[in-house]
Amino acid sequence: MAILMGDVDPCLLGENTLKWIHCDHAGLNGSARPEVFARGIPVTGAAGRSAPVLAEHCIYFMMQGCYHTKELLRAQENCTWGVDGMNTWRGLYGRTVGIVGMGNNGRMLADRLHAFGMNIVAYDKFPIKGYDYISQKYCADAGDIIQPLLEQSDFVVLTLALTDETYHMINKDTLAQMKDGAFLVNMARGGIVCTEDLIEALKSGKLSGAGLDVFEEQPLSPESPLWKMEQVYITPHSTPQVPDRAARSVEIIRENARRFEAGEPLLNRMRPEDAMNGEKSQGGWARMMNTNVPKEKIDFQSLEKYLGKRGWTDPSEWM
């Protein structure tokens, strides 16, 4: 068995006795390459280990939109009591949220937003089992389309995987289907949203705002208009840690070790649908692991080139 910090490196695909590879991160698009599938080694990931805090991150963005944080902070700095139009602002209670993707993150988010008293509708590729408090459940495999969710949601939250099917799922057409004044949250992958179409929807006022943790190109270019938009809230693909993140990773590995020995299906196993055409799926780790840099030189590569500036100084912070 090999446990990797990043994606599957080509050096692991030669002659060896490996029976299982685990990548200690969530998205496996960067490893879902023909040569990896051809090798026949099961590859698993760490999806779900940070789901509680990722759900909080979604709510953080939603609350920013409700409370117009930028305006209130400016008012505080100017010692101004109140903001024009604040009597029209509305909180989360009683409003409708559409969760697109009911995996680990989507389920954690649904539980928390139910406690907020929100009306929840959800869309997933597969049937959504349980969660009786969700008022409407849409299933792509059953022939459902996403349009009904978009038309009724005050907030649309993306917590789904990036695949060829979901690439640019949010585009000019689907943005037009969204409720006027809706707020978009992307905690999934940047490629799910067409950046150009999103910017136009924000400029036109079709969307009231957006909370974005991921982007098609990372780091986000300083030239991007998203940085300067009043109604856009940005975080640099970074979420606060869960207190037991390492332990949760170990628990996934431990459970998969048991399943491997018992011949049972592995958790978070890479599937053919994780594969994508071209380089649109490759995040920072995938680009770094597939640079064809000789192993003796890899120590001299700048992580910032691939992952963006993170302010890391201690290697223990990489975990």
Short mmCIF file of all heavy atoms in Angstrom, two decimals, residues 98-140:
data_model
loop_
_atom_site.label_atom_id
_atom_site.label_comp_id
_atom_site.label_asym_id
_atom_site.label_seq_id
_atom_site.Cartn_x
_atom_site.Cartn_y
_atom_site.Cartn_z
N GLY A 98 -30.88 25.54 -2.36
CA GLY A 98 -30.72 24.39 -3.24
C GLY A 98 -29.31 23.84 -3.11
O GLY A 98 -28.35 24.55 -3.40
N ILE A 99 -29.19 22.61 -2.64
CA ILE A 99 -27.88 21.97 -2.48
C ILE A 99 -27.65 21.07 -3.69
O ILE A 99 -28.42 20.13 -3.91
CB ILE A 99 -27.79 21.17 -1.18
CG1 ILE A 99 -28.04 22.08 0.03
CG2 ILE A 99 -26.42 20.50 -1.05
CD1 ILE A 99 -28.08 21.34 1.36
N VAL A 100 -26.61 21.35 -4.45
CA VAL A 100 -26.31 20.56 -5.64
C VAL A 100 -25.13 19.65 -5.32
O VAL A 100 -23.98 20.08 -5.28
CB VAL A 100 -25.98 21.48 -6.84
CG1 VAL A 100 -25.78 20.63 -8.10
CG2 VAL A 100 -27.09 22.50 -7.06
N GLY A 101 -25.44 18.39 -5.06
CA GLY A 101 -24.43 17.42 -4.66
C GLY A 101 -24.65 17.00 -3.21
O GLY A 101 -24.38 17.77 -2.30
N MET A 102 -25.13 15.77 -3.01
CA MET A 102 -25.44 15.30 -1.66
C MET A 102 -24.45 14.22 -1.22
O MET A 102 -24.84 13.17 -0.70
CB MET A 102 -26.88 14.79 -1.61
CG MET A 102 -27.90 15.91 -1.54
SD MET A 102 -27.81 16.86 0.00
CE MET A 102 -28.45 15.65 1.16
N GLY A 103 -23.17 14.51 -1.41
CA GLY A 103 -22.13 13.66 -0.86
C GLY A 103 -21.89 14.04 0.59
O GLY A 103 -22.78 14.57 1.28
N ASN A 104 -20.68 13.80 1.07
CA ASN A 104 -20.36 14.11 2.47
C ASN A 104 -20.64 15.55 2.82
O ASN A 104 -21.29 15.86 3.83
CB ASN A 104 -18.88 13.80 2.74
CG ASN A 104 -18.55 12.33 2.64
OD1 ASN A 104 -19.02 11.53 3.45
ND2 ASN A 104 -17.74 11.95 1.66
N ASN A 105 -20.16 16.49 2.00
CA ASN A 105 -20.32 17.91 2.30
C ASN A 105 -21.77 18.34 2.21
O ASN A 105 -22.26 19.09 3.05
CB ASN A 105 -19.46 18.75 1.35
CG ASN A 105 -17.98 18.44 1.49
OD1 ASN A 105 -17.52 17.97 2.53
ND2 ASN A 105 -17.21 18.68 0.42
N GLY A 106 -22.47 17.87 1.18
CA GLY A 106 -23.87 18.24 1.01
C GLY A 106 -24.73 17.76 2.15
O GLY A 106 -25.63 18.47 2.62
N ARG A 107 -24.47 16.55 2.64
CA ARG A 107 -25.27 16.02 3.74
C ARG A 107 -25.01 16.78 5.04
O ARG A 107 -25.95 17.09 5.79
CB ARG A 107 -24.98 14.53 3.93
CG ARG A 107 -25.44 13.67 2.76
CD ARG A 107 -25.44 12.19 3.11
NE ARG A 107 -24.13 11.69 3.49
CZ ARG A 107 -23.24 11.19 2.64
NH1 ARG A 107 -23.52 11.14 1.35
NH2 ARG A 107 -22.06 10.74 3.07
N MET A 108 -23.75 17.08 5.30
CA MET A 108 -23.43 17.87 6.50
C MET A 108 -24.08 19.25 6.43
O MET A 108 -24.60 19.77 7.42
CB MET A 108 -21.91 18.03 6.63
CG MET A 108 -21.19 16.78 7.04
SD MET A 108 -21.36 16.47 8.82
CE MET A 108 -20.33 15.01 9.00
N LEU A 109 -24.06 19.86 5.25
CA LEU A 109 -24.67 21.17 5.08
C LEU A 109 -26.17 21.10 5.27
O LEU A 109 -26.76 21.97 5.93
CB LEU A 109 -24.34 21.71 3.68
CG LEU A 109 -24.95 23.06 3.32
CD1 LEU A 109 -24.45 24.16 4.26
CD2 LEU A 109 -24.63 23.42 1.87
N ALA A 110 -26.81 20.08 4.72
CA ALA A 110 -28.26 19.95 4.86
C ALA A 110 -28.67 19.86 6.32
O ALA A 110 -29.63 20.52 6.75
CB ALA A 110 -28.74 18.72 4.09
N ASP A 111 -27.95 19.08 7.11
CA ASP A 111 -28.28 18.95 8.54
C ASP A 111 -28.22 20.31 9.24
O ASP A 111 -29.10 20.65 10.04
CB ASP A 111 -27.31 17.99 9.22
CG ASP A 111 -27.59 16.54 8.90
OD1 ASP A 111 -28.71 16.23 8.47
OD2 ASP A 111 -26.67 15.70 9.07
N ARG A 112 -27.21 21.08 8.92
CA ARG A 112 -27.04 22.36 9.60
C ARG A 112 -28.06 23.40 9.14
O ARG A 112 -28.59 24.18 9.95
CB ARG A 112 -25.59 22.85 9.39
CG ARG A 112 -24.60 22.07 10.24
CD ARG A 112 -23.22 21.94 9.61
NE ARG A 112 -22.32 21.20 10.50
CZ ARG A 112 -22.35 19.88 10.67
NH1 ARG A 112 -23.24 19.15 10.01
NH2 ARG A 112 -21.50 19.29 11.49
N LEU A 113 -28.37 23.42 7.86
CA LEU A 113 -29.34 24.40 7.36
C LEU A 113 -30.76 24.03 7.78
O LEU A 113 -31.61 24.91 7.92
CB LEU A 113 -29.23 24.52 5.85
CG LEU A 113 -27.90 25.11 5.35
CD1 LEU A 113 -27.90 25.22 3.83
CD2 LEU A 113 -27.63 26.48 5.98
N HIS A 114 -31.01 22.75 7.99
CA HIS A 114 -32.31 22.34 8.55
C HIS A 114 -32.48 22.94 9.93
O HIS A 114 -33.57 23.42 10.29
CB HIS A 114 -32.38 20.82 8.60
CG HIS A 114 -33.62 20.29 9.23
ND1 HIS A 114 -34.89 20.60 8.79
CD2 HIS A 114 -33.79 19.47 10.31
CE1 HIS A 114 -35.79 19.99 9.54
NE2 HIS A 114 -35.15 19.30 10.48
N ALA A 115 -31.40 22.95 10.73
CA ALA A 115 -31.46 23.55 12.06
C ALA A 115 -31.70 25.05 12.00
O ALA A 115 -32.25 25.64 12.93
CB ALA A 115 -30.17 23.25 12.83
N PHE A 116 -31.29 25.69 10.89
CA PHE A 116 -31.54 27.12 10.70
C PHE A 116 -32.98 27.41 10.30
O PHE A 116 -33.37 28.57 10.20
CB PHE A 116 -30.60 27.68 9.62
CG PHE A 116 -29.25 28.10 10.12
CD1 PHE A 116 -28.23 27.17 10.26
CD2 PHE A 116 -28.99 29.42 10.46
CE1 PHE A 116 -26.98 27.54 10.72
CE2 PHE A 116 -27.73 29.81 10.91
CZ PHE A 116 -26.72 28.86 11.04
N GLY A 117 -33.76 26.39 10.03
CA GLY A 117 -35.14 26.59 9.63
C GLY A 117 -35.31 26.94 8.17
O GLY A 117 -36.29 27.56 7.78
N MET A 118 -34.37 26.50 7.34
CA MET A 118 -34.47 26.76 5.91
C MET A 118 -35.26 25.66 5.21
O MET A 118 -35.31 24.51 5.66
CB MET A 118 -33.08 26.86 5.28
CG MET A 118 -32.24 28.01 5.81
SD MET A 118 -30.80 28.33 4.74
CE MET A 118 -31.57 29.17 3.34
N ASN A 119 -35.89 26.01 4.10
CA ASN A 119 -36.50 25.03 3.21
C ASN A 119 -35.40 24.52 2.30
O ASN A 119 -34.72 25.30 1.63
CB ASN A 119 -37.62 25.69 2.39
CG ASN A 119 -38.18 24.73 1.36
OD1 ASN A 119 -38.48 23.58 1.67
ND2 ASN A 119 -38.34 25.20 0.13
N ILE A 120 -35.21 23.20 2.26
CA ILE A 120 -34.09 22.61 1.53
C ILE A 120 -34.58 21.79 0.36
O ILE A 120 -35.48 20.95 0.50
CB ILE A 120 -33.24 21.72 2.45
CG1 ILE A 120 -32.72 22.53 3.65
CG2 ILE A 120 -32.07 21.10 1.69
CD1 ILE A 120 -32.04 21.68 4.72
N VAL A 121 -34.02 22.06 -0.81
CA VAL A 121 -34.21 21.21 -1.97
C VAL A 121 -32.83 20.73 -2.40
O VAL A 121 -31.82 21.41 -2.16
CB VAL A 121 -34.93 21.93 -3.13
CG1 VAL A 121 -36.33 22.34 -2.72
CG2 VAL A 121 -34.15 23.16 -3.58
N ALA A 122 -32.74 19.54 -2.99
CA ALA A 122 -31.43 18.97 -3.28
C ALA A 122 -31.43 18.24 -4.61
O ALA A 122 -32.46 17.71 -5.05
CB ALA A 122 -31.01 18.02 -2.16
N TYR A 123 -30.25 18.21 -5.23
CA TYR A 123 -30.06 17.56 -6.53
C TYR A 123 -28.79 16.74 -6.46
O TYR A 123 -27.75 17.20 -5.97
CB TYR A 123 -29.94 18.63 -7.61
CG TYR A 123 -29.73 18.11 -9.03
CD1 TYR A 123 -30.80 17.92 -9.89
CD2 TYR A 123 -28.45 17.85 -9.50
CE1 TYR A 123 -30.61 17.47 -11.19
CE2 TYR A 123 -28.24 17.40 -10.80
CZ TYR A 123 -29.32 17.22 -11.63
OH TYR A 123 -29.13 16.77 -12.92
N ASP A 124 -28.86 15.50 -6.94
CA ASP A 124 -27.68 14.64 -6.94
C ASP A 124 -27.75 13.70 -8.13
O ASP A 124 -28.82 13.47 -8.70
CB ASP A 124 -27.59 13.83 -5.64
CG ASP A 124 -26.20 13.25 -5.42
OD1 ASP A 124 -25.32 13.99 -4.95
OD2 ASP A 124 -25.99 12.06 -5.73
N LYS A 125 -26.62 13.15 -8.50
CA LYS A 125 -26.60 12.19 -9.59
C LYS A 125 -27.37 10.93 -9.21
O LYS A 125 -28.07 10.34 -10.04
CB LYS A 125 -25.15 11.82 -9.93
CG LYS A 125 -25.01 10.77 -11.03
CD LYS A 125 -23.55 10.53 -11.37
CE LYS A 125 -23.38 9.40 -12.39
NZ LYS A 125 -24.06 9.70 -13.68
N PHE A 126 -27.26 10.54 -7.94
CA PHE A 126 -27.87 9.30 -7.48
C PHE A 126 -29.08 9.61 -6.59
O PHE A 126 -29.22 10.73 -6.08
CB PHE A 126 -26.85 8.48 -6.70
CG PHE A 126 -25.58 8.22 -7.46
CD1 PHE A 126 -24.41 8.89 -7.13
CD2 PHE A 126 -25.56 7.34 -8.52
CE1 PHE A 126 -23.23 8.67 -7.83
CE2 PHE A 126 -24.39 7.11 -9.24
CZ PHE A 126 -23.22 7.77 -8.89
N PRO A 127 -29.98 8.63 -6.37
CA PRO A 127 -31.13 8.86 -5.49
C PRO A 127 -30.68 9.28 -4.10
O PRO A 127 -29.71 8.75 -3.55
CB PRO A 127 -31.82 7.49 -5.47
CG PRO A 127 -31.40 6.82 -6.74
CD PRO A 127 -30.00 7.29 -6.99
N ILE A 128 -31.39 10.24 -3.52
CA ILE A 128 -31.08 10.75 -2.18
C ILE A 128 -31.92 9.98 -1.17
O ILE A 128 -33.15 10.13 -1.12
CB ILE A 128 -31.36 12.26 -2.09
CG1 ILE A 128 -30.53 13.02 -3.14
CG2 ILE A 128 -31.06 12.79 -0.68
CD1 ILE A 128 -30.93 14.47 -3.32
N LYS A 129 -31.28 9.16 -0.37
CA LYS A 129 -31.98 8.32 0.59
C LYS A 129 -32.02 8.99 1.95
O LYS A 129 -31.06 9.62 2.37
CB LYS A 129 -31.30 6.95 0.68
CG LYS A 129 -31.28 6.19 -0.64
CD LYS A 129 -30.54 4.87 -0.52
CE LYS A 129 -30.50 4.13 -1.85
NZ LYS A 129 -29.77 2.84 -1.76
N GLY A 130 -33.15 8.83 2.65
CA GLY A 130 -33.30 9.46 3.96
C GLY A 130 -33.53 10.95 3.83
O GLY A 130 -34.10 11.42 2.85
N TYR A 131 -33.13 11.70 4.82
CA TYR A 131 -33.26 13.15 4.82
C TYR A 131 -34.70 13.57 4.49
O TYR A 131 -34.95 14.32 3.55
CB TYR A 131 -32.25 13.79 3.85
CG TYR A 131 -30.83 13.57 4.28
CD1 TYR A 131 -30.15 12.42 3.89
CD2 TYR A 131 -30.19 14.48 5.12
CE1 TYR A 131 -28.86 12.19 4.33
CE2 TYR A 131 -28.90 14.25 5.54
CZ TYR A 131 -28.23 13.11 5.15
OH TYR A 131 -26.96 12.88 5.59
N ASP A 132 -35.62 13.08 5.31
CA ASP A 132 -37.04 13.34 5.06
C ASP A 132 -37.39 14.81 5.16
O ASP A 132 -38.44 15.23 4.65
CB ASP A 132 -37.89 12.54 6.07
CG ASP A 132 -37.79 11.04 5.85
OD1 ASP A 132 -37.41 10.64 4.71
OD2 ASP A 132 -38.07 10.26 6.78
N TYR A 133 -36.54 15.61 5.82
CA TYR A 133 -36.84 17.04 5.92
C TYR A 133 -36.56 17.80 4.63
O TYR A 133 -36.91 18.97 4.50
CB TYR A 133 -36.06 17.67 7.09
CG TYR A 133 -34.56 17.52 7.01
CD1 TYR A 133 -33.80 18.29 6.13
CD2 TYR A 133 -33.90 16.61 7.83
CE1 TYR A 133 -32.43 18.15 6.05
CE2 TYR A 133 -32.52 16.46 7.76
CZ TYR A 133 -31.79 17.24 6.87
OH TYR A 133 -30.43 17.11 6.80
N ILE A 134 -35.87 17.19 3.67
CA ILE A 134 -35.64 17.84 2.38
C ILE A 134 -36.94 17.82 1.60
O ILE A 134 -37.51 16.75 1.33
CB ILE A 134 -34.52 17.14 1.60
CG1 ILE A 134 -33.18 17.29 2.35
CG2 ILE A 134 -34.40 17.71 0.19
CD1 ILE A 134 -32.01 16.62 1.66
N SER A 135 -37.43 19.00 1.23
CA SER A 135 -38.77 19.09 0.65
C SER A 135 -38.86 18.52 -0.75
O SER A 135 -39.89 17.97 -1.14
CB SER A 135 -39.25 20.54 0.66
OG SER A 135 -38.40 21.37 -0.12
N GLN A 136 -37.78 18.64 -1.52
CA GLN A 136 -37.79 18.09 -2.87
C GLN A 136 -36.41 17.52 -3.18
O GLN A 136 -35.38 18.16 -2.94
CB GLN A 136 -38.13 19.17 -3.90
CG GLN A 136 -39.55 19.72 -3.74
CD GLN A 136 -39.80 20.90 -4.67
OE1 GLN A 136 -39.77 20.75 -5.88
NE2 GLN A 136 -40.05 22.06 -4.09
N LYS A 137 -36.40 16.30 -3.72
CA LYS A 137 -35.16 15.61 -4.06
C LYS A 137 -35.15 15.31 -5.55
O LYS A 137 -36.08 14.68 -6.06
CB LYS A 137 -35.03 14.31 -3.27
CG LYS A 137 -35.10 14.46 -1.76
CD LYS A 137 -35.13 13.10 -1.08
CE LYS A 137 -35.33 13.22 0.41
NZ LYS A 137 -35.42 11.88 1.06
N TYR A 138 -34.12 15.78 -6.23
CA TYR A 138 -34.00 15.56 -7.68
C TYR A 138 -32.82 14.64 -7.94
O TYR A 138 -31.75 14.79 -7.33
CB TYR A 138 -33.81 16.89 -8.40
CG TYR A 138 -34.93 17.88 -8.18
CD1 TYR A 138 -34.78 18.94 -7.27
CD2 TYR A 138 -36.13 17.77 -8.86
CE1 TYR A 138 -35.81 19.85 -7.06
CE2 TYR A 138 -37.16 18.67 -8.65
CZ TYR A 138 -36.99 19.70 -7.75
OH TYR A 138 -38.02 20.60 -7.55
N CYS A 139 -32.99 13.72 -8.88
CA CYS A 139 -31.97 12.72 -9.18
C CYS A 139 -31.68 12.72 -10.68
O CYS A 139 -32.58 12.45 -11.49
CB CYS A 139 -32.44 11.34 -8.72
SG CYS A 139 -31.37 9.98 -9.23
N ALA A 140 -30.43 12.99 -11.03
CA ALA A 140 -30.06 13.04 -12.44
C ALA A 140 -30.24 11.69 -13.11
O ALA A 140 -30.72 11.60 -14.25
CB ALA A 140 -28.61 13.51 -12.58
#
